[in-house]
C-alpha cells in the first residue's frame, strides 16, 4: 500500500461507504461490524461527551431519540441547527462525525493514515450543499480533492459497459434512488470516454419517503386499534420508522410481511402492540406516486439529452431503494427490457469515487470522464424588478444547466447611468428567472471609469472540472478586466487583481456575507444590531481578503451567522 492513501467516499443519506484502490482495483473497506456499509446515524452520548456513529448510534436511536440523528444529508447546505440533547450542531458538523469514523476505521484496516478523499454528492446538489459537504470533510481532517456527482461515480465502475465507438447505442442511464435523494444521469460511453449528457433529480425524494408511507400506515392502524392519536410520541415514531424500513426491505423479497412488534410504547399504563399484515401490492399502491415522480425525472432528463428511451443501451441501478420490484418494473415498462443490478447498488458509488481518486494521482486506469453542470449559472440584472422590494430580480443565464465542463461562456451587458461608478456582480445558480428563487453563490464590486450610459460590460464565466467558477468582468475600452474565483470547495470568494485597500468596503462576498449585506439594507433593523452586523461583515470580508488563518475566519463566520439570525428575528418581531 502506498504511503499516500486517497479514498473514495459515498457520504449517503442512509448509509456511507469508504473505498480505496488496491493494485488498480477498487475495494470497499470493512468497518467495525465487518461490513463496508456504515449506517449514517450519529448519536451524542452526553454522559461521556462523545459521539457514537453507525451501528452503535443506530441501536441508541429508540432509547435516545432526542440525542440521535439520521438522514442528516437532507439538511446539508441549510442554516437550521440540529439539536442533539442540549447542544446545537450544524449539519456539516454531524456529517463530519460520519466521515471521521470512516477514515479512522479505514486507516486502522489499511495500516496507513487517510488524509485525502474524493467525496460524492447527488448530481442535483446545489452550491451550498456542495460547500457544506466539503466543509464536513475539512472538519473531519480531510483534504477534499474533488466533489463528484454520484451517478457519474457509479458509471466509472461499469468497465464492462463500455461500448465500441461504432456501437449504435452507446448511451447509458444511471438511475440512483438512495435513502434521501434521487438522481438520474444520461451518459455516452465510447471506449474509454464517458461523457455525461444530462443530469436531473430531486434532493428531497428517496427511500426515506417510502418508509414514511409505511410509518403513516402503521400509525393509522394503531389509531384505529387503540383509539389513540400517537403522533406526538417521538420515541414511538422512531420505532415505527425502523419497522417501516425493515418491512420495505422484506417486501422486496416477499409478497406479504407479518409485522409483529410488542410493547412499542405505553399509554395509560397499558402497552401498545403492532400486529398487522402488509402486502407488496398494498405498499406499491401507497408509494405509486413516488415511483411516478422518478419516472417523470427520467423522461425530463432524456429530453434534455435529446434521446428516446429505446436509445438507451443499459440502465445502471444505484442505491438500496432500487431493489424495490415496483421500481424495476416501472423502468422495464419504460425502456422495454428487463432491468437488473450489475453491481451491488450500495457499494458502486464509493467504488467509482475510488476510481476517480486513482485518476487524480495518475493511476493507469484508462478512463476519461466528461461531466456536466448540475445547475444554470448567471448574474442578477435589472431586466425585471421585484414588485414588492423594488430591487433588480432578473436571473440572466450565462452557463446553462447540463453544459459539459470545462466550459467558458460570455455575455455582454450595459451600464445604466452616465459616468456610473461601479457595478455589483451577483452570481446565482438555479433555473428560475427570479434571482430570489435561486441561490446566491457570490457577489463582488467592479469599479468603472467615467463613460456614457449604456456602455458595454463583458462578463465571462469559466467553469472547470474542479467545480470552480472564474468570473471575469471587463469594461470594454475603459477598464482592465477583473477576475474573481468562486470555489465550491471553500467557503470564501477569492479575488484576483483586487485592490487590497478596498477590502473594507467591497471585499470578497460569499454566501454568508451576502446574506448579511442583504439584511443591512432592510428597513426597521435596530441600530445596535445594524452596527454590530456591519462591523462583523467588514471584519469577516477583510479576513477573507487578507487570507487570514482558517481558525479566525471560522470564528468570525460563526459570530456573523449568530448576528444574522438575531437580525432576522428582530426584523420578524418588528413585523
Amino acid at each position: 500500500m502506498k504511503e499516500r492513501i486517497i479514498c473514495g467516499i459515498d457520504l449517503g443519506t442512509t448509509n456511507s461507504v469508504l473505498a480505496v484502490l488496491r493494485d488498480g482495483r477498487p475495494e470497499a473497506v470493512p468497518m467495525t461490524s465487518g461490513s463496508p456499509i456504515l449506517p449514517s446515524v450519529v448519536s451524542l452520548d452526553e454522559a461521556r461527551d462523545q459521539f457514537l456513529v453507525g451501528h452503535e448510534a443506530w441501536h441508541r436511536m429508540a432509547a435516545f431519540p432526542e440525542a440521535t440523528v439520521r438522514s442528516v444529508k437532507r439538511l446539508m447546505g441549510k442554516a437550521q441547527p440540529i439539536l442533539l440533547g442540549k447542544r446545537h450542531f450544524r449539519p456539516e458538523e454531524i456529517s463530519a462525525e460520519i466521515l471521521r469514523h470512516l477514515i479512522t476505521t479505514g486507516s486502522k484496516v489499511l495500516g496507513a493514515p487517510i488524509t485525502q478523499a474524493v467525496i460524492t454528492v447527488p448530481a442535483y446538489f446545489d452550491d451550498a450543499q456542495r460547500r457544506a459537504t466539503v466543509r464536513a470533510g475539512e472538519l473531519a481532517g480531510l483534504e477534499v480533492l474533488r466533489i463528484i456527482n454520484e451517478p457519474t461515480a457509479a458509471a466509472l465502475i461499469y468497465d464492462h459497459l463500455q461500448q465500441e465507438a461504432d456501437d449504435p447505442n452507446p448511451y447509458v442511464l444511471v438511475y440512483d434512488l438512495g435513502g434521501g435523494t434521487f438522481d438520474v444521469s444520461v451518459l455516452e460511453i465510447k471506449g474509454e470516454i464517458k461523457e455525461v449528457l444530462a443530469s436531473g433529480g430531486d434532493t428531497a425524494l428517496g427511500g426515506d419517503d417510502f418508509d414514511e408511507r409505511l410509518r403513516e400506515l402503521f400509525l393509522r392502524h394503531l389509531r384505529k386499534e387503540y383509539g389513540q392519536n400517537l403522533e406526538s410520541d417521538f420515541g414511538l415514531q422512531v420505532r415505527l420508522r425502523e419497522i417501516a424500513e425493515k418491512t420495505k426491505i422484506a417486501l422486496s423479497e416477499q409478497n406479504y410481511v407479518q409485522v409483529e412488534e410488542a410493547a412499542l410504547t405505553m399509554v395509560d399504563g397499558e402497552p401498545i402492540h403492532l400486529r398487522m399484515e402488509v402486502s407488496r401490492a398494498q405498499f406499491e399502491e401507497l408509494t405509486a406516486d413516488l415511483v411516478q415522480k422518478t419516472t417523470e425525472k427520467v423522461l425530463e432528463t432524456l429530453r434534455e439529452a435529446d434521446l428516446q428511451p429505446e436509445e438507451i443501451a443499459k440502465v445502471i441501478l444505484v442505491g438500496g431503494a432500487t431493489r424495490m420490484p415496483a421500481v424495476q418494473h416501472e423502468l422495464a415498462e419504460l425502456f422495454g427490457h428487463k432491468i437488473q443490478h450489475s453491481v451491488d447498488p450500495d457499494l458502486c458509488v464509493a467504488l467509482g469515487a475510488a476510481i476517480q481518486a486513482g485518476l487524480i494521482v495518475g493511476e493507469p486506469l484508462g478512463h476519461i470522464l466528461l461531466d456536466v453542470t448540475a445547475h444554470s449559472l448567471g448574474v442578477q440584472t435589472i431586466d425585471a424588478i421585484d414588485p414588492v422590494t423594488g430591487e433588480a430580480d432578473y436571473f440572466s443565464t450565462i452557463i446553462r444547466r447540463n453544459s459539459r465542463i470545462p466550459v467558458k461562456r460570455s455575455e455582454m451587458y450595459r451600464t445604466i447611468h452616465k459616468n456610473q461608478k461601479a457595478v455589483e456582480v451577483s452570481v446565482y445558480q438555479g433555473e428560475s428567472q427570479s434571482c430570489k428563487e435561486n441561490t446566491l453563490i457570490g457577489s463582488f464590486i467592479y469599479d468603472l471609469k467615467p463613460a456614457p450610459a449604456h456602455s458595454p460590460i463583458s462578463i465571462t464565466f469559466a467553469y472547470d472540472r474542479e467545480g470552480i467558477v472564474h468570473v471575469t468582468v471587463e469594461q470594454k475600452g475603459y477598464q482592465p478586466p477583473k477576475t474573481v474565483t468562486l470555489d465550491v470547495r471553500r467557503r470564501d470568494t477569492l479575488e484576483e487583481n483586487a485592490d487590497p485597500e478596498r477590502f473594507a468596503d467591497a471585499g470578497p462576498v460569499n454566501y454568508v456575507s451576502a446574506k448579511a449585506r442583504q439584511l443591512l439594507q432592510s428597513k426597521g433593523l435596530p441600530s445596535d444590531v445594524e452596527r454590530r452586523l456591519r462591523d462583523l461583515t467588514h471584519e469577516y470580508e477583510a479576513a477573507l481578503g487578507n487570507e487570514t488563518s482558517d481558525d479566525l475566519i471560522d470564528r468570525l463566520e460563526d459570530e456573523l451567522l449568530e448576528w444574522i439570525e438575531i437580525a432576522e428575528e428582530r426584523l420578524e418581531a418588528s413585523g
Side-chain angles (χ1 to χ4, degrees):
M1 179 66 63
K2 297 184 178 72
E3 291 184 6
R4 182 189 186 192
I5 298 179
I6 302 180
C7 65
I9 296 177
D10 174 11
L11 183 60
T13 307
T14 305
N15 299 304
S16 295
V17 179
L18 180 145
V20 294
L21 281 179
R22 287 180 185 266
D23 301 321
R25 295 181 60 84
E27 294 181 7
V29 178
M31 296 291 105
T32 50
S33 64
S35 167
I37 298 174
L38 179 77
S40 298
V41 184
V42 176
S43 185
L44 177 62
D45 186 339
E46 292 185 286
R48 292 187 290 173
D49 191 29
Q50 70 178 49
F51 286 104
L52 302 175
V53 180
H55 292 284
E56 281 187 287
W58 176 269
H59 295 318
R60 282 174 52 91
M61 192 156 44
F64 301 96
E66 74 288 344
T68 307
V69 62
R70 56 177 296 192
S71 301
V72 68
K73 184 173 180 176
R74 283 190 157 183
L75 301 176
M76 293 292 278
K78 296 181 180 179
Q80 67 185 85
I82 297 170
L83 180 63
L84 289 186
K86 300 176 182 178
R87 295 165 61 184
H88 285 92
F89 299 91
R90 295 185 196 174
E92 55 264 40
E93 291 177 308
I94 301 299
S95 290
E97 293 302 324
I98 298 171
L99 291 170
R100 189 174 288 113
H101 186 93
L102 285 169
I103 61 175
T104 300
T105 306
S107 295
K108 291 178 181 176
V109 172
L110 299 170
I114 297 172
T115 58
Q116 298 172 308
V118 170
I119 302 179
T120 64
V121 295
Y124 224 59
F125 253 26
D126 63 20
D127 182 79
Q129 292 166 308
R130 291 168 189 263
R131 291 188 190 205
T133 303
V134 173
R135 180 63 177 148
E138 293 172 345
L139 289 172
L142 282 169
E143 180 186 356
V144 182
L145 296 180
R146 188 168 299 179
I147 294 289
I148 65 168
N149 295 334
E150 289 166 4
T152 305
L156 284 172
I157 199 63
Y158 284 79
D159 289 341
H160 62 283
L161 292 178
Q162 293 183 12
Q163 308 290 321
E164 295 298 327
D166 59 353
D167 193 308
N169 290 324
Y171 304 112
V172 171
L173 184 137
V174 181
Y175 180 100
D176 183 353
L177 186 59
T181 59
F182 172 65
D183 272 324
V184 56
S185 290
V186 177
L187 297 93
E188 183 177 11
I189 299 178
K190 293 182 177 179
E192 295 177 347
I193 300 177
K194 295 177 172 68
E195 178 181 352
V196 182
L197 302 180
S199 290
D202 188 336
T203 56
L205 173 63
D208 289 353
D209 299 286
F210 290 79
D211 298 344
E212 181 64 14
R213 297 293 172 85
L214 283 174
R215 185 197 68 82
E216 292 170 352
L217 175 68
F218 297 155
L219 204 57
R220 289 194 297 270
H221 177 83
L222 292 174
R223 187 183 300 121
K224 182 178 179 180
E225 187 79 9
Y226 292 94
Q228 298 280 349
N229 186 353
L230 302 169
E231 188 74 51
S232 60
D233 189 330
F234 187 60
L236 173 65
Q237 304 313 313
V238 173
R239 289 287 305 278
L240 291 180
R241 287 190 189 95
E242 291 179 11
I243 298 165
E245 184 178 10
K246 291 178 183 177
T247 304
K248 176 190 70 177
I249 293 170
L251 285 171
S252 293
E253 303 293 334
Q254 307 167 32
N255 287 316
Y256 297 91
V257 171
Q258 193 66 38
V259 180
E260 297 277 355
E261 296 288 341
L264 289 173
T265 189
M266 302 290 289
V267 174
D268 298 329
E270 296 295 324
I272 298 293
H273 312 294
L274 177 62
R275 295 188 179 93
M276 66 180 298
E277 185 179 78
V278 182
S279 69
R280 181 186 292 173
Q282 184 181 14
F283 174 57
E284 291 179 351
E285 183 179 354
L286 287 171
T287 57
D289 63 308
L290 300 178
V291 177
Q292 183 59 34
K293 281 184 180 180
T294 70
T295 304
E296 291 168 1
K297 288 294 183 183
V298 168
L299 291 171
E300 180 182 312
T301 307
L302 284 171
R303 284 193 296 270
E304 292 190 10
D306 198 23
L307 292 172
Q308 298 297 320
E310 58 268 21
E311 295 180 85
I312 299 298
K314 183 77 174 179
V315 177
I316 301 172
L317 297 179
V318 181
T322 59
R323 291 187 173 93
M324 291 185 289
V327 167
Q328 297 177 30
H329 176 74
E330 181 78 7
L331 292 173
E333 288 284 317
L334 177 61
F335 292 101
H337 58 81
K338 186 177 180 181
I339 307 295
Q340 58 187 7
H341 295 99
S342 302
V343 175
D344 189 329
D346 292 315
L347 302 182
C348 62
V349 168
L351 296 174
I355 288 179
Q356 181 63 63
L359 292 172
I360 290 174
V361 297
E363 290 276 355
L365 298 171
H367 293 271
I368 300 175
L369 178 62
L370 303 174
D371 211 338
V372 297
T373 59
H375 299 273
S376 297
L377 286 164
V379 295
Q380 183 183 51
T381 68
I382 203 167
D383 294 65
I385 303 295
D386 187 299
V388 178
T389 64
E391 297 176 350
D393 189 44
Y394 185 75
F395 177 64
S396 176
T397 303
I398 294 179
I399 295 179
R400 297 198 174 277
R401 175 173 171 249
N402 281 324
S403 296
R404 194 174 81 185
I405 51 178
V407 60
K408 188 175 184 179
R409 296 282 187 273
S410 296
E411 291 291 342
M412 191 69 72
Y413 299 93
R414 302 280 174 176
T415 59
I416 301 170
H417 309 294
K418 179 182 178 180
N419 296 331
Q420 187 171 324
K421 293 182 178 180
V423 292
E424 182 173 4
V425 180
S426 296
V427 180
Y428 286 82
Q429 68 175 13
E431 311 310 321
S432 173
Q433 288 188 338
S434 168
C435 286
K436 67 182 181 182
E437 295 177 2
N438 293 332
T439 302
L440 176 67
I441 63 171
S443 180
F444 61 95
I445 301 297
Y446 176 66
D447 290 328
L448 300 175
K449 293 290 186 183
H454 311 301
S455 296
I457 303 292
S458 173
I459 299 181
T460 302
F461 282 10
Y463 196 124
D464 67 21
R465 287 194 178 93
E466 304 297 325
I468 301 173
V469 182
H470 306 276
V471 183
T472 300
V473 187
E474 183 178 4
Q475 184 184 17
K476 291 292 187 180
Y478 291 89
Q479 185 77 321
K482 172 181 180 177
T483 298
V484 172
T485 299
L486 304 173
D487 188 344
V488 302
R489 302 171 306 172
R490 295 174 58 87
R491 300 176 311 287
D492 52 350
T493 299
L494 307 173
E495 295 207 20
E496 303 168 2
N497 308 328
D499 180 0
E501 295 180 0
R502 298 192 65 252
F503 275 125
D505 297 319
V509 184
N510 68 1
Y511 67 100
V512 177
S513 53
K515 179 64 177 177
R517 283 171 174 250
Q518 183 184 37
L519 287 168
L520 286 169
Q521 296 174 3
S522 304
K523 295 181 179 179
L525 197 63
S527 59
D528 60 328
V529 176
E530 180 182 359
R531 184 168 53 253
R532 185 58 183 148
L533 191 61
R534 189 180 303 280
D535 290 345
L536 268 175
T537 302
H538 287 167
E539 190 177 356
Y540 176 58
E541 292 173 1
L544 292 177
N546 293 326
E547 297 185 355
T548 314
S549 72
D550 285 345
D551 287 343
L552 176 58
I553 291 174
D554 289 344
R555 180 178 64 77
L556 289 171
E557 181 174 286
D558 289 343
E559 192 172 355
L560 183 55
L561 284 167
E562 290 176 6
W563 278 93
I564 286 173
E565 186 175 345
I566 291 170
E568 289 177 331
E569 290 173 354
R570 298 289 286 273
L571 284 171
E572 186 177 351
S574 65

